[in-house]
């Protein structure tokens, strides 16, 4: 294209969420991506002539989407354990604490081996990108070098990612899988320092105490200081399972609640994302709101590990930032489409118990998977929808690809087509994935 400033222009249907609307389906819009990968303009198709003059592109260079195609924003997985991907789809027969002891900790120990880590991390980054996860907030393991490797692989593939080296200095379940308090602090420092030094454009570190049960008070305080010193994101788990909540009460008798444990150690900030929160009280949700901390709702995991059912309506009522997570491998699917479906299912199950509740609509779940996730990770100034000035993180969806799992019929309008994709589609329909304007799926031949 001979234009100056605009690298690509698309015309067709775009669907996204805005601050005021869970879903806006915009037919015959034109979107320009500039050479920095940002959205230069996003306007009605009738403005195309004036846009072409303003931005200096030739209208014959516009890429026209088919009637069965549309763009949606890239999906944001706010909670996924990259290290557990190797057993996703299996080991779903135990509740959380037994599951960690029997399956998870023994597998995570293997990541000391960098060849093992490279194979697993390459596969999880490829799979999540193919499924349309343009941004992932990853837990790795306690191993610094393998965690740095996950950062490099995400950068190589062009995925936007927060990478967490897991921190834990307490583990009565599998005593070999933990660090000494001082060593964990030093290794976290090294991890943060080395990852930042790489200057990856889209990959950043996130301070990652596994959860209160596996961290001493001293370690939690040190991690709070590291997050503050480097102004970093923080991620952990909270109130996932009733036994876990009880255990935390016993371990931290001076704290008034599970939330208070993280508050007291400087770990509940406006850059914190806590997974689950099924049993958070209204008081705790108020604290989340006051501090600007976020919740990652992981419905597949919550059902698979028989943990609980988050009342999303109540979280939203408290104006707490909320997104969706796959929580691989407690959640058996690495696809955010599954997270959308399970979020709606869970809300309907709650409605069966309480007729006063309103179920989540597919539109609301779509918002949580895109704009909501960007808010959770405090990235909503740069991703989450197609606002001008944001990075072009986007999925090109085509429901008429060979072998498509979705059938269309005369009269299926763009909104129906989107709803069918969200409920029935899969990675076969996600024909192109863009992160910061760069096409990352299909993968280059070298990958
Ligand atoms: Zn988790």
């Amino acid at each position: 294209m001979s234009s100056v400033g605009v690298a690509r222009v698309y015309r067709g249907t775009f669907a996204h969420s805005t601050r005021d609307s869970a879903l806006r389906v915009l037919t015959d819009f034109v979107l320009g991506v500039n050479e920095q990968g940002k959205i230069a303009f996003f306007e009605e198709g009738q403005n195309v002539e004036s846009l072409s003059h303003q931005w200096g592109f030739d209208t014959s260079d516009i890429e026209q989407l088919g009637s069965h195609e549309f763009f949606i924003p890239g999906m944001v997985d706010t909670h996924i354990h990259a290290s557990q991907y190797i057993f996703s789809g299996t080991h779903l027969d135990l509740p959380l604490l037994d599951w960690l002891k029997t399956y998870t900790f023994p597998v995570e120990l293997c990541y000391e081996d960098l060849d093992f880590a490279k194979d697993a991390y390459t596969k999880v980054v490829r799979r999540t990108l193919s499924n349309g996860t343009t941004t992932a907030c990853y837990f790795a393991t306690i191993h610094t070098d393998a965690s740095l490797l996950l950062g490099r692989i995400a950068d190589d593939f062009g995925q936007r990612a927060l990478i967490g080296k897991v921190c834990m200095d307490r583990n009565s379940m599998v005593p070999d899988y933990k660090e000494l308090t001082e060593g964990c602090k030093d290794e976290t420092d090294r991890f943060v320092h080395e990852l930042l030094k790489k200057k990856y454009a889209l990959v950043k570190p996130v301070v990652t105490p596994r959860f209160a049960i596996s961290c001493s008070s001293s370690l939690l305080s040190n991690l709070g200081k590291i997050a503050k010193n480097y102004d970093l994101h923080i991620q952990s788990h909270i109130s996932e399972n009733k036994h876990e909540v009880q255990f935390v009460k016993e371990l931290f008798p001076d704290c008034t609640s599970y939330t208070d444990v993280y508050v007291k150690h400087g770990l509940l900030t406006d850059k914190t994302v806590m997974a689950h929160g099924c049993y958070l009280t209204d008081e705790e949700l108020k604290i989340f709101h006051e501090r600007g901390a976020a919740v990652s709702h992981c419905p597949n995991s919550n059902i698979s590990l028989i943990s609980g059912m988050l009342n999303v309506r109540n979280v939203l009522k408290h104006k707490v930032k909320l997104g969706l997570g796959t929580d691989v491998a407690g959640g058996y699917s690495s696809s955010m489409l599954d997270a959308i479906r399970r979020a709606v299912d869970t809300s309907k199950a709650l409605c069966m118990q309480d007729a006063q509740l309103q179920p989540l609509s597919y539109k609301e779940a779509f918002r949580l998977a895109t704009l909501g996730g960007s808010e959770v990770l405090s990235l909503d100034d740069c991703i989450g929808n197609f606002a001008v000035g944001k990075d072009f993180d986007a999925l090109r969806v085509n429901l008429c690809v060979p072998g498509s799992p979705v059938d269309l019929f005369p009269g299926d309008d763009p909104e129906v087509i989107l709803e069918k994709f969200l409920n029935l589609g899969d990675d076969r329909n996600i024909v192109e994935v863009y992160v910061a304007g760069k096409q990352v799926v299909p993968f280059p031949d070298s990958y």
Side-chain angles (χ1 to χ4, degrees):
M1 190 174 285
S2 58
S3 59
V4 177
V6 179
R8 282 189 310 280
V9 180
Y10 301 98
R11 183 169 184 173
T13 299
F14 297 79
H16 71 162
S17 306
T18 63
R19 186 170 289 275
D20 305 320
S21 175
L23 176 65
R24 296 196 68 200
V25 178
L26 303 158
T27 54
D28 192 27
F29 262 59
V30 274
L31 182 146
V33 182
N34 71 18
E35 278 149 8
Q36 286 77 47
K38 293 184 186 300
I39 298 166
F41 56 82
F42 183 44
E43 298 190 18
E44 290 180 35
Q46 63 188 17
N47 300 339
V48 72
E49 288 295 336
S50 64
L51 285 167
S52 75
H53 290 130
Q54 184 185 343
W55 292 94
F57 63 88
D58 192 318
T59 51
S60 64
D61 289 332
I62 296 172
E63 195 160 339
Q64 176 72 48
L65 302 189
S67 61
H68 45 271
E69 284 190 295
F70 54 87
F71 271 111
I72 59 171
M75 291 188 277
V76 181
D77 189 343
T78 56
H79 186 74
I80 171 167
H81 296 259
S83 51
Q84 296 169 18
Y85 178 64
I86 65 166
F87 66 90
S88 62
T90 67
H91 299 342
L92 298 163
D93 57 337
L94 292 175
L96 177 67
L97 299 180
D98 294 331
W99 176 84
L100 286 168
K101 176 180 177 176
T102 309
Y103 304 125
T104 307
F105 290 151
V107 166
E108 290 194 16
L109 262 173
C110 301
Y111 284 75
E112 197 168 0
D113 177 343
L114 287 177
D115 290 332
F116 180 93
K118 186 178 179 194
D119 177 54
Y121 287 157
T122 300
K123 285 174 177 155
V124 71
V125 170
R126 284 181 68 104
R127 180 65 60 191
T128 52
L129 271 177
S130 306
N131 284 333
T133 300
T134 49
T135 300
C137 191
Y138 284 120
F139 275 60
T141 61
I142 65 170
H143 310 99
T144 303
D145 291 329
S147 303
L148 289 167
L149 180 60
L150 173 58
R152 196 184 88 200
I153 291 167
D155 178 68
D156 283 349
F157 278 89
Q159 189 173 46
R160 191 185 300 275
L162 292 170
I163 310 286
K165 173 217 164 299
V166 171
C167 298
M168 47 197 289
D169 65 345
R170 275 207 282 215
N171 190 352
S172 56
M173 300 182 234
V174 177
D176 283 351
Y177 188 52
K178 67 169 186 287
E179 303 159 282
L180 298 173
T181 307
E182 198 59 24
C184 180
K185 177 180 147 304
D186 292 348
E187 282 298 289
T188 303
D189 255 327
R190 179 167 84 84
F191 169 73
V192 169
H193 184 72
E194 291 202 12
L195 193 59
L196 291 175
K197 207 169 68 183
K198 302 282 186 195
K199 297 199 185 310
Y200 296 137
L202 304 174
V203 177
K204 307 287 176 214
V206 45
V207 173
T208 306
R210 178 171 217 113
F211 62 163
I213 287 175
S214 59
C215 299
S216 66
S217 181
S218 163
L219 176 60
L220 290 173
S221 294
N222 277 310
L223 295 177
K225 283 180 197 148
I226 290 171
K228 191 171 181 197
N229 288 346
Y230 289 94
D231 187 26
L232 293 178
H233 285 82
I234 297 162
Q235 64 175 348
S236 193
H237 300 87
I238 196 165
S239 296
E240 176 177 359
N241 163 299
K242 283 182 181 168
H243 295 293
E244 170 216 11
V245 175
Q246 184 56 37
F247 197 4
V248 170
K249 265 190 192 144
E250 290 163 18
L251 288 172
F252 296 89
D254 297 340
C255 294
T256 55
S257 66
Y258 201 155
T259 298
D260 193 40
V261 174
Y262 293 126
V263 170
K264 282 214 165 74
H265 295 93
L267 290 163
L268 204 78
T269 74
D270 61 0
K271 291 176 91 172
T272 295
V273 51
M274 288 287 168
H276 307 302
C278 300
Y279 299 101
L280 289 173
T281 63
D282 285 358
E283 274 308 306
E284 290 177 283
L285 287 170
K286 274 182 204 147
I287 296 168
F288 266 71
H289 169 67
E290 284 160 13
R291 292 181 165 256
V295 171
S296 170
H297 176 34
C298 305
N300 188 319
S301 170
N302 292 159
I303 298 293
S304 291
L305 301 186
I306 320 173
S307 298
M309 292 192 286
L310 178 71
N311 183 340
V312 164
R313 288 262 171 256
N314 196 41
V315 177
L316 294 175
K317 193 177 90 185
H318 285 83
K319 297 190 164 38
V320 173
K321 294 186 292 188
L322 183 67
L324 299 182
T326 59
D327 195 23
V328 163
Y332 56 77
S333 171
S334 61
S335 168
M336 286 295 291
L337 290 170
D338 172 86
I340 288 172
R341 296 163 194 166
R342 299 288 88 79
V344 173
D345 287 352
T346 294
S347 80
K348 288 177 177 171
L350 285 167
C351 290
M352 289 184 236
Q353 298 175 340
D354 179 356
Q356 304 297 314
L357 278 175
Q358 275 288 107
L360 272 189
S361 67
Y362 82 88
K363 299 176 185 181
E364 291 172 298
F366 169 74
R367 186 190 189 285
L368 294 178
T370 53
L371 189 59
S374 74
E375 292 165 352
V376 162
L377 301 181
S378 302
L379 292 171
D380 48 314
D381 58 339
C382 99
I383 57 167
N385 63 12
F386 295 128
V388 170
K390 289 192 182 185
D391 285 5
F392 185 62
D393 282 21
L395 315 182
R396 182 171 180 165
V397 178
N398 183 341
L399 293 203
C400 290
V401 291
S404 174
V406 187
D407 288 310
L408 298 182
F409 293 88
D412 283 353
D413 66 24
E415 200 168 309
V416 167
I417 292 176
L418 172 73
E419 186 177 4
K420 283 191 170 182
F421 166 66
L422 294 177
N423 281 318
L424 300 170
D426 62 28
D427 59 326
R428 284 170 288 186
N429 301 112
I430 301 172
V431 292
E432 293 172 3
V433 177
Y434 294 86
V435 181
K438 183 180 166 213
Q439 189 177 324
V440 295
V441 171
F443 301 115
D445 290 341
S446 53
Y447 292 161

